[in-house]
Amino acid sequence: MTSRGLLEKPIDAGAARVAPVEHAPALGVLEAADAHGALAAGSALLPGWDASDKWRPVGRYGRTSEWCKGAFDRVAAAIGLVLIAPVLAIIAIAVRLDSPGPALFRQTRIGRGGRAFTFYKFRGMLTDARERFPHLYEYRYDDAQIQSLRFHSGPDPRVTRVGAFIRRTSLDELPNLINVVRGDMSLVGPRPEIPELIPYYQGHAKTVLGVKPGITSLAKWLGRDELTFQETL
């Protein structure tokens, strides 16, 4: 399964706040706009993006083939949720007992066509992580940083004890099946990205956002969290 936690900077207990990077792609536009609203409307805030552009499917799927694939994904995900219901209940209880807060984590992600949707997974972090570690939520990277950025890089002070286990085993991603049933995601597809990182996709954005994001992908199976951000594009 794909990793659905935040794309994280290397953890450094004494890390300073990252200074703004002037040449970060579309960063100024992203700051000046309502990223969630603009992306939901289909405006990707990317260099060369024309609001009149239309998103087109990637690959050779026709309307019938795409409908069949979507129907299969939803039915398979619904059956999967029923079959693993006891496992979901056990994990939810473990998350609640381990740390204060809800069992499910909800976050805005960007799906096909740049549309925003609510993403579900089991909570693996402290509920006040953003307040306690604000520097880990500043998505500003220069060229060298974005090239070396990795998923879940090193020990993370935000992660709970149960969170460390379910993230390592990808059990935290089981609620992604809810997104598949809702039609936001597919069983197989690219990472559902947070709005703040979409500008860094640059020329890959239309291809990646031309299909539904998925729970798993070939890149994830081959590299899991060893892959850099660039290698997942």
Side-chain angles (χ1 to χ4, degrees), residues 1 67-85 88 174-183 185-188 215:
M1 290 185 175
W67 184 89
C68 290
K69 180 181 183 299
F72 173 82
D73 282 344
R74 291 190 181 200
V75 171
I79 294 175
L81 282 172
V82 173
L83 293 178
I84 66 174
L88 296 177
L174 292 179
N176 290 172
L177 292 171
I178 298 173
N179 289 116
V180 178
V181 172
R182 289 165 57 95
M185 293 174 58
S186 178
L187 295 176
V188 179
I215 293 179

Side-chain angles (χ1 to χ4, degrees), residues 35-36 38-44 55 109-116 209-210:
H36 293 257
L39 284 165
S43 175
W55 296 90
R109 295 290 179 99
I110 304 304
R112 184 177 181 181
R115 299 180 185 88
L209 299 181

Side-chain angles (χ1 to χ4, degrees), residues 22-141:
E22 294 183 357
H23 59 281
L27 186 57
V29 180
L30 188 62
E31 290 178 333
D34 176 355
H36 293 257
L39 284 165
S43 175
L45 304 178
L46 294 166
W49 171 257
D50 184 340
S52 65
D53 285 353
K54 294 182 179 180
W55 296 90
R56 298 178 176 83
V58 175
R60 295 179 291 179
Y61 280 117
R63 290 182 180 274
T64 301
S65 298
E66 189 166 350
W67 184 89
C68 290
K69 180 181 183 299
F72 173 82
D73 282 344
R74 291 190 181 200
V75 171
I79 294 175
L81 282 172
V82 173
L83 293 178
I84 66 174
V87 177
L88 296 177
I90 292 172
I91 297 175
I93 293 173
V95 171
R96 291 294 302 274
L97 291 177
D98 184 48
S99 63
L104 281 182
F105 172 72
R106 297 171 175 82
Q107 185 182 44
T108 297
R109 295 290 179 99
I110 304 304
R112 184 177 181 181
R115 299 180 185 88
F117 68 92
T118 300
F119 174 83
Y120 299 94
K121 64 179 293 185
F122 280 121
R123 179 176 60 83
M125 293 186 178
L126 301 170
T127 55
D128 60 348
R130 186 177 289 270
E131 290 71 31
R132 294 176 61 178
F133 308 100
H135 64 283
L136 297 179
Y137 294 88
E138 293 183 349
Y139 302 99
R140 300 166 179 266
Y141 307 100

